[in-house]
Amino acid sequence: MSDSMKNSKKIYGPNPSFVENANVKKIDENLSIERFWEKEAERLHWFRKWDSVLEGEIPFTRWFTNGKINASYNCIDRHLNSWKKNKAALIFEGEPGDRAVYTYQDLYREVTKFSNVLKKMGINKGDVVTIYLPMIPQAVISMLACSRIGAVHSVVFGGFSSQALSDRINDSEAKLVITSDGYWRRGGIVQAKDRVDKALYETTTVDHVIVIQRSKNHIHMVKDRDYWYHELMDWAEIGCEAEAMDAEDDLFMLYTSGTTGKPKGVVHSTGGYLTGVSSTHHNVFDHKDEDVYWCAADIGWITGHSYIVYGPLSNGSTLLIYEGAPDYPAKDRTWDIVEKYSVSILYTAPTAIRMFMKWGEKWLENKNLSSLRLLGSVGEPINPEAWEWYYKNVGKGNCPIVDTWWQTETGSIMISSLPGINKMKPGSVCKPLPGICADVVDDKGESVPYGRNGYLVVKRPWPSMLRNVYKNTQRYVETYWSMFDGMFCTGDGAFKDEDGYIWVSGRVDDVIVCAGHNIGSAEVESSIVTHKSVAEAAAIGCNNAIKGLGICIFATLKEGEFPSRDLENELSEIIIAEIGKFAKPDKYFFAKELPKTRSGKIMRRLLRDVAEGRELGDTTTLLDVSVIDDFMTMDD
Ligand code: PRX
């Protein structure tokens, strides 16, 4: 926790005019958790109602037992029998300035046609489909086409390298990949299909690749494996019955970084997940039919799944997606888009806000942002300075900010202010939402008094919680449920203040949240040690003014090898190739040895002190204190 967070005493709102029309004006304290979630589930369309709300023991609980539901049906068909049939569901702005609008009826046509294509390609209920797409409408269409027929989608962020893509395809045993020829980024074309071709050299399970034509760059199509989306869609029929899925059937899996080298395939259910995202999208974002809602996340992360696709569409939103970079062709692109489409709800990440701050207010000055009525933040702690800047310069002091804490594993927002109820304290994520029992505990699992740091945990199951780690139940139990008896361990540190407001300080494990991306230190370390000169390496998250955290590498070299800029560049190239550009380190330190405890554990806390130029903390458990003096960087 930074000093600026601890010292932030400001309290805002709630704004009386906002409160008057808020979706949630008061919380019914008398509702049991199960009854609360039952009422939220009733907002959705079920083909068959559940027999019981919650069954089983932690960590294997089941929600809405024997309920039958389909996510795609809830996101599309349900709206077709109302005035929403011709409402804009999806507004797309491409980076070059092209645009497209899909009504709910349009979505129905495209999604059902594509579901039929997938079926013809041999995809059945339970099969895994990898989606490796940029922010284009077909990404949303692909996800909904999968969920319509009960196929499990595994979306892989477009910024991942071919190596990271093939690892994820292999782990999930995906049968089909949906990708694009390329996409636009800062005026250039990113060659997505090339990466898929490379990835597929390393895989054996994929039968077919469907390619969406986006940038019209030349690509190689492999005969009998690769097919153009538009050609398949030409003959596909409109209309495809939505599969009645069991509430507990898998909806999707999404890989997230862990503390060991291999990413975890987090598995989400259908009924519980949809209940969680639909409820929180309505309550936290105060979503109304007239809103133009822009969640500026990427579809490749959980935020894109929950608050671009399933939450908003199940509530009949008009959502906006933008393909490209926020500084192309100039640094006012975000504000141009807000003005052009009268965006009323904007949901983004602190790293983006800090970047806007750095670029300066001049980029917002002549823009009409008066359509905005609510702002959201997600992905990492927001420092009070960035919060204030967002509130003043983007929200003009009129828009509540919902700082939403949640994770890939939680599926939906767990801790946030409710804009019609709570006061906001910049830097605090406020309190657990109704139906969520989150708390801060010490290492014995006891609730800590206010002001004391501890572990953020969830003490009761909730509908949108992950159900498993794909094909690895042991890892599921060990990672999330073994630290404290009967509690879900989030891996985050936090404290509560005297009003019960929660302040999240960041990860307490070895996951680095860098510019909103979750990067496992072990993943970075295992790529670096593949270089012939490197003996051992530690990857540490260290403060970075824009990204929140940047990556610092501490490496020891093999006998006869010496640090150099060239070596640094080679190591960065390896990381970019194995993980992606977003994981490129900020700084390298080289040493004869890494500081270790007597039991051989690298003391990451000390490395963090070194990286951030602080005086060293307690070194008494170090095996050899002198190793610290040997660190060198090429910047000295
Ligand atoms: O450390 C927390 C941070 O992001 C982690 C979850 O990352 P991921 O699974 O990629 O999901 C990101 C989008 C939900 C958390 O363990 N985090 C997320 N939101 C916040 C946050 N930290 C502080 N404040 C937040 N609002």
Side-chain angles (χ1 to χ4, degrees):
M1 163 103 352
S2 71
D3 287 344
S4 66
M5 278 191 182
K6 276 194 177 137
N7 297 335
S8 169
K9 291 268 184 280
K10 282 208 179 141
I11 300 182
Y12 291 89
N15 180 336
S17 65
F18 193 97
V19 172
E20 211 171 297
N21 299 308
N23 286 352
V24 187
K25 292 189 186 131
K26 78 178 198 333
I27 296 171
D28 184 350
E29 307 280 355
N30 296 322
L31 274 188
S32 70
I33 287 187
E34 288 182 27
R35 184 62 197 131
F36 170 81
W37 285 118
E38 181 162 55
K39 282 183 78 171
E40 296 304 291
E42 281 162 2
R43 298 178 62 252
L44 298 169
H45 179 90
W46 295 78
F47 298 131
R48 180 189 186 279
K49 208 178 164 182
W50 50 89
D51 295 330
S52 64
V53 178
L54 176 62
E55 281 187 0
E57 292 297 318
I58 267 174
F60 302 109
T61 46
R62 296 178 300 280
W63 286 84
F64 311 116
T65 323
N66 296 330
K68 300 282 181 236
I69 188 167
N70 183 284
S72 175
Y73 185 96
N74 271 280
C75 289
I76 306 171
D77 307 40
R78 193 156 71 108
H79 309 308
L80 299 183
N81 296 327
S82 74
W83 65 271
K84 287 187 193 163
K85 178 179 173 179
N86 295 317
K87 182 186 178 187
L90 180 58
I91 299 171
F92 166 70
E93 165 124 339
E95 195 186 75
D98 54 326
R99 55 187 292 258
V101 179
Y102 291 75
T103 64
Y104 276 94
Q105 178 64 36
D106 292 334
L107 260 194
Y108 174 81
R109 185 186 60 244
E110 296 300 303
V111 168
T112 57
K113 281 173 77 173
F114 197 42
S115 291
N116 288 329
V117 167
L118 293 175
K119 279 184 168 176
K120 281 253 163 58
M121 289 269 171
I123 299 300
N124 297 310
K125 183 177 169 184
D127 287 340
V128 177
V129 172
T130 294
I131 299 176
Y132 186 65
L133 282 175
M135 293 295 295
I136 55 176
Q138 289 80 4
V140 178
I141 291 165
S142 299
M143 289 162 79
L144 293 172
C146 286
S147 54
R148 190 167 194 91
I149 61 171
V152 177
H153 57 71
S154 164
V155 181
V156 177
F157 171 54
F160 273 122
S161 64
S162 51
Q163 178 67 53
L165 175 62
S166 66
D167 289 347
R168 284 156 179 74
I169 291 173
N170 284 330
D171 189 74
S172 63
E173 296 168 302
K175 284 176 77 174
L176 186 136
V177 177
I178 305 169
T179 190
S180 64
D181 47 357
Y183 57 94
W184 296 100
R185 197 77 192 167
R186 293 203 172 85
I189 293 173
V190 179
Q191 310 273 347
K193 174 66 165 52
D194 282 0
R195 289 198 202 151
V196 172
D197 289 341
K198 222 167 137 199
L200 293 187
Y201 284 128
E202 313 282 328
T203 64
T204 53
T205 55
V206 174
D207 299 325
H208 300 298
V209 178
I210 299 180
V211 187
I212 291 145
Q213 192 170 50
R214 169 63 190 146
S215 40
K216 299 200 169 149
N217 47 312
H218 177 73
I219 59 165
H220 177 62
M221 297 288 277
V222 176
K223 195 164 179 295
D224 297 332
R225 187 196 74 180
D226 301 351
Y227 297 87
W228 286 107
Y229 173 89
H230 57 273
E231 289 177 4
L232 297 170
M233 289 289 271
D234 262 355
W235 53 258
E237 269 177 38
I238 300 173
C240 169
E241 202 175 331
E243 188 79 31
M245 304 294 285
D246 190 89
E248 281 296 312
D249 277 340
D250 297 345
L251 176 61
F252 66 86
M253 72 169 85
L254 181 61
Y255 285 89
T256 186
S257 297
T259 50
T260 62
K262 217 170 136 219
K264 301 179 287 250
V266 165
V267 178
H268 278 290
S269 72
T270 306
Y273 172 81
L274 203 62
T275 300
V277 296
S278 190
S279 158
T280 47
H281 176 259
H282 179 79
N283 296 343
V284 175
F285 296 109
D286 190 59
H287 175 260
K288 306 278 198 297
D289 279 331
E290 312 77 66
D291 279 315
V292 176
Y293 165 90
W294 184 13
C295 166
D298 193 279
I299 212 99
W301 307 115
I302 190 69
T303 310
H305 287 58
S306 302
Y307 298 108
I308 292 177
V309 183
Y310 291 110
L313 293 177
S314 66
N315 288 328
S317 287
T318 294
L319 62 94
L320 188 137
I321 63 173
Y322 168 57
E323 175 186 36
D327 56 353
Y328 188 84
K331 295 186 171 66
D332 55 1
R333 187 67 186 265
T334 300
W335 318 118
D336 272 346
I337 293 174
V338 169
E339 180 171 328
K340 184 167 167 191
Y341 298 104
S342 273
V343 172
S344 54
I345 300 176
L346 176 65
Y347 190 31
T348 186
T351 183
I353 299 164
R354 286 190 293 265
M355 197 169 62
F356 297 140
M357 260 173 100
K358 191 182 101 180
W359 291 344
E361 287 87 65
K362 70 169 190 222
W363 297 102
L364 292 80
E365 263 156 21
N366 299 321
K367 309 291 169 189
N368 182 355
L369 306 182
S370 60
S371 55
L372 287 170
R373 65 176 198 91
L374 183 130
L375 304 173
S377 173
V378 63
E380 57 192 303
I382 182 165
N383 47 313
E385 298 76 16
W387 194 104
E388 300 274 354
W389 189 92
Y390 196 28
Y391 189 70
K392 181 169 155 237
N393 294 292
V394 182
K396 312 291 180 200
N398 297 319
C399 303
I401 296 182
V402 288
D403 182 358
T404 62
W405 181 92
W406 59 295
Q407 306 178 299
T408 304
E409 292 86 344
T410 69
S412 60
I413 300 169
M414 306 288 278
I415 309 177
S416 167
S417 52
L418 285 167
I421 295 184
N422 302 110
K423 294 196 167 110
M424 300 167 285
K425 299 189 189 188
S428 165
V429 289
C430 198
K431 295 183 186 183
L433 292 176
I436 300 297
C437 277
D439 196 6
V440 182
V441 300
D442 62 18
D443 45 17
K444 294 190 188 62
E446 304 284 337
S447 205
V448 294
Y450 75 79
R452 186 104 62 78
N453 286 319
Y455 301 94
L456 186 60
V457 297
V458 189
K459 291 179 159 174
R460 296 277 302 268
W462 67 102
S464 66
M465 61 193 247
L466 79 165
R467 295 302 193 265
N468 210 342
V469 170
Y470 190 65
K471 287 193 307 197
N472 203 337
T473 304
Q474 190 187 346
R475 196 167 173 201
Y476 166 68
V477 175
E478 276 170 11
T479 311
Y480 302 109
W481 303 97
S482 60
M483 189 163 174
F484 305 108
D485 198 24
M487 296 183 208
F488 173 81
C489 177
T490 69
D492 276 12
F495 79 91
K496 288 177 289 188
D497 68 15
E498 61 273 30
D499 299 321
Y501 274 49
I502 292 174
W503 299 71
V504 176
S505 48
R507 306 290 302 183
V508 289
D509 58 18
D510 297 332
V511 174
I512 305 167
V513 181
C514 169
H517 305 304
N518 235 348
I519 301 166
S521 48
E523 267 174 278
V524 179
E525 289 158 9
S526 58
S527 356
I528 288 213
V529 295
T530 60
H531 191 284
K532 63 179 182 355
S533 307
V534 177
E536 192 178 29
I540 303 291
C542 55
N543 280 329
N544 174 299
I546 303 293
K547 291 188 281 188
L549 283 182
I551 297 177
C552 269
I553 303 293
F554 288 78
T556 60
L557 300 182
K558 289 182 184 155
E559 202 69 17
E561 303 289 344
F562 297 97
S564 66
R565 277 274 184 242
D566 285 347
L567 176 63
E568 287 186 358
N569 293 337
E570 285 169 28
L571 296 177
S572 292
E573 284 306 317
I574 294 178
I575 295 172
I576 292 169
E578 297 217 348
I579 304 173
K581 241 193 199 141
F582 60 91
K584 183 171 179 254
D586 284 358
K587 196 166 179 172
Y588 287 87
F589 290 86
F590 296 97
K592 288 207 194 86
E593 259 182 78
L594 295 180
K596 292 194 181 150
T597 61
R598 280 157 229 273
S599 60
K601 235 180 154 220
I602 295 173
M603 285 196 65
R604 293 168 187 278
R605 176 174 55 76
L606 282 188
L607 294 179
R608 224 164 277 137
D609 289 341
V610 173
E612 291 173 1
R614 269 193 308 270
E615 218 164 278
L616 297 188
D618 183 12
T619 55
T620 49
T621 52
L622 264 190
L623 184 65
D624 177 2
V625 182
S626 70
V627 298
I628 298 281
D629 299 328
D630 292 333
F631 285 130
M632 63 165 288
T633 75
M634 301 316 298
D635 304 328
D636 291 340

